[in-house]
Amino acid sequence: MSELRKKFGTGPVFFTAISTILGAVMFLRFGFAVGHTGLIGTIAIIMIGHAVTIPTALSIAEIATNQKVEGGGEYYIISRSFGLVIGSSIGIALYFSQAISVAFYIIAFSEAFVGLFEYIKSNYDLHPTLAWLMDRKQTVSVPALFLLTGLVLAKGAALGVKTLYVVVVTLLLSLVAFFIGDTAYNQQNDLDPFATVESVMEEEGVFNADTLFSETSDLEDPYRDYEEMRPANDTPRPVSPIETFSFFTVFAIIFPAFTGMTAGVGLSGDLAKPSRSIPLGTIAATVCGMIIYIFIAFKLSSSASPADLANTENLVMANIAWQGWWIIPLGLAAATISSALGSIMVAPRTLQAIARDRVLPSSKFSYWLSRGRGKNDEPYNSTLVTVALALLFIIMGQLDFVAEIISMFFMVTYGTLNLISFLQHFSADPSYRPTFRSRWFLSLFGAIACFGLMFFMNAAYAVLALGLMVVFYTVVSRYNPDKRNLAVIFQGVIFQFSRQLQVFLQKADKEDQSNWRPSAVCISENSFERIASFDLLRWISQRYGFGTYIHKISGYLSKSTHKQAREAKARLIRMAEASKSNVYIDTLISPSYTSAIAQVIQLPGISGSENNLLILEFSKQNPDNLKDIVDNFKLINSVAFDLIILGSSERGFGLKKDIHIWITSNDYENANLMILLGYIIIGHPDWKEGAIKIFAVFPEATCSDERNRLFQLIEAGRLPISPNNIQVIPRPEDRPIKSIITEKSKDADLTVVGFQGESLKHSGIGVFEDYKEIGNTLFVNAADHKTIS
């Protein structure tokens, strides 16, 4: 793509935002808010609303001064912070809200012509067809959409911005006319900041708001003479003056008035200096909008009775303003057409940016949407799609449901922007260096307020909006498996959280060591030839413990061995993902087995507590490394590690149904660890059909006592071992225990036996031999006695 000419400054950002903020809701519903909640209540609505919008504006300003914001505005910020899959899921929702907003504002624009059409119908004898057309909002909205589209497609964003200036001037004139206007109510009544239509009805004993309006109105309604001419099939405005509304219901209706502050961000791709223009324009528009709304609330409250304000059948600002009969409808038309213009400029750019990221299911459709025209890369094709979508909703005409969904999507967007700012503060990434900084607590408050207010406004729509976001994420994730990476911002947050947690755990008082929890580390040179030790580690660390798997590479550290280590680590991580394990993977380059063991037993535990269990392995068919294991036992024992050595066979773990645990009179310290390991392993889903059998070999004179002790241990420890699975065998003097184990456990899937350091001194590797006829065997040596309670 050729280098594009960026020529816009801060002005378009400010005017696009302020013209969207001071839009249709200001003209059509702000008097309604003052009438139902009073001046104090309306100011509260303004303050609560801006408690969301101001932190969002600050967050946008912060993010925009840290990174180059390309085309797509808010979508670009979100996708480059949260990753393409999550970012595009939010971006698609954002695009739909922007596109449907075009229809919303165009229909609101048609409201400006209601008075004119009523006047024409009452003074002229019209053909029935023409009168019917005047009763339809589409008579104005459809041609207005096509005219606006033609303007944008023909001249691009440049003419759109020039038109925006004209619209803003018209909007300013209508506000000036409104503020200089005067009414009889203003001259005859003092300002009551607490007066609402409900309080007046209660005070007057009037329970019919229509009666209240007719008796208390001091305003001249320029359109009231034409009410009797309203056709029988004409649909009244959505809010009846007879109804009463709670504070949060009114808030939900008014809140969209404050949500236009990010409209200018969508022009980021057309700005000369986005990092300067976006913060200045967005913050200025947000603050100016809040101030103007406060003054409007004061003016409305002092110029009309609560009943007049609450009556949405009339354009109350037209009754108050100087020359309001024509200038306020003109202002309404200007506000809505400017908002529509802003949306029709921004929405296609969002869609174009999404398409250029190649995250949509169809690559051909993405390419078609991403194409721009002219030297400014105008999103021509994306504009056509946006207009088609807006036309569909204009023809439907009923936008109440859609409008609330739009608000929910915008709230998700604002909440996400605040969340990005907060997470960037928390992650403490040194590459995050914005020239403008918000405060982390403001960003956090803004995020919580956004997501919380969604449910205050309409819980059902909030759930529906979030459900649609999940659908978008599922579709994008399915068609873009290569883009499902962990975004840098999440990596930073996890890093900081892990660091703080480990420091906290290190400083905190440790739990009683008798309450043993495995923090295991396993080392093996044969990770890809024998995976039994990896499986054993993932079973131990799945739920009850923590596991680190170290793949040893023999040799000295060099460029080639470092590359080999990276490749092996990547393979092991894929293997861990495929098995859905909770094992941490790493590699170690070492010239000798002893140096590798020495390094491994000094590794810090990933759980914040020290490692306490070492897992080694050898092959029963080819025990080349068994001597190294025996030779390093003393080194391992010096740091009080529990040691388990897995002798793997060709049969592997078989059907994963039977675990046999063998206990002898020499296994006082080993016995409880052996039972705990069996219990932990059998808790893994791979062993869901498994059972533990305990074989205790003791001198015949003590068999009865040992049996009772084992029963009490199992019962007190609440271990899932049936008494029927405990077998006490009198030890024969003329038969080696190994032969008994071989006979009883020849069909076991895992056999667990204990060993002692003293036996290694005398027998060496012979301790682990003569078990070839049974499956995988786990040899256990406990550093100290474990308590089962």
Side-chain angles (χ1 to χ4, degrees), residues 106-123:
I106 290 290
I107 292 177
F109 169 74
S110 67
E111 294 282 344
F113 294 84
V114 171
L116 175 62
F117 287 168
E118 293 289 351
Y119 175 81
I120 293 174
K121 287 190 295 181
S122 64
N123 287 275

Side-chain angles (χ1 to χ4, degrees), residues 695-736:
F695 297 90
V697 183
F698 289 98
E700 186 172 359
T702 62
C703 283
S704 178
D705 293 339
E706 294 297 336
R707 180 184 293 105
N708 291 333
R709 188 183 68 83
L710 282 173
F711 286 165
Q712 292 173 5
L713 178 67
I714 299 303
E715 183 178 359
R718 303 169 303 283
L719 298 172
I721 302 174
S722 170
N724 296 329
N725 286 345
I726 299 176
Q727 184 177 350
V728 178
I729 303 173
R731 180 176 181 175
E733 296 182 1
D734 57 347
R735 187 180 181 187

Side-chain angles (χ1 to χ4, degrees), residues 574-620:
R574 289 194 296 271
M575 189 166 70
E577 289 178 345
S579 61
K580 299 179 180 179
S581 69
N582 293 328
V583 174
Y584 180 78
I585 304 294
D586 211 339
T587 55
L588 177 65
I589 302 170
S590 181
S592 70
Y593 196 85
T594 299
S595 63
I597 293 293
Q599 292 180 70
V600 166
I601 60 179
Q602 296 180 77
L603 289 176
I606 62 170
S607 63
S609 59
E610 297 299 325
N611 291 323
N612 57 17
L613 176 65
L614 179 64
I615 302 175
L616 304 176
E617 64 86 31
F618 70 92
S619 168
K620 291 183 180 182

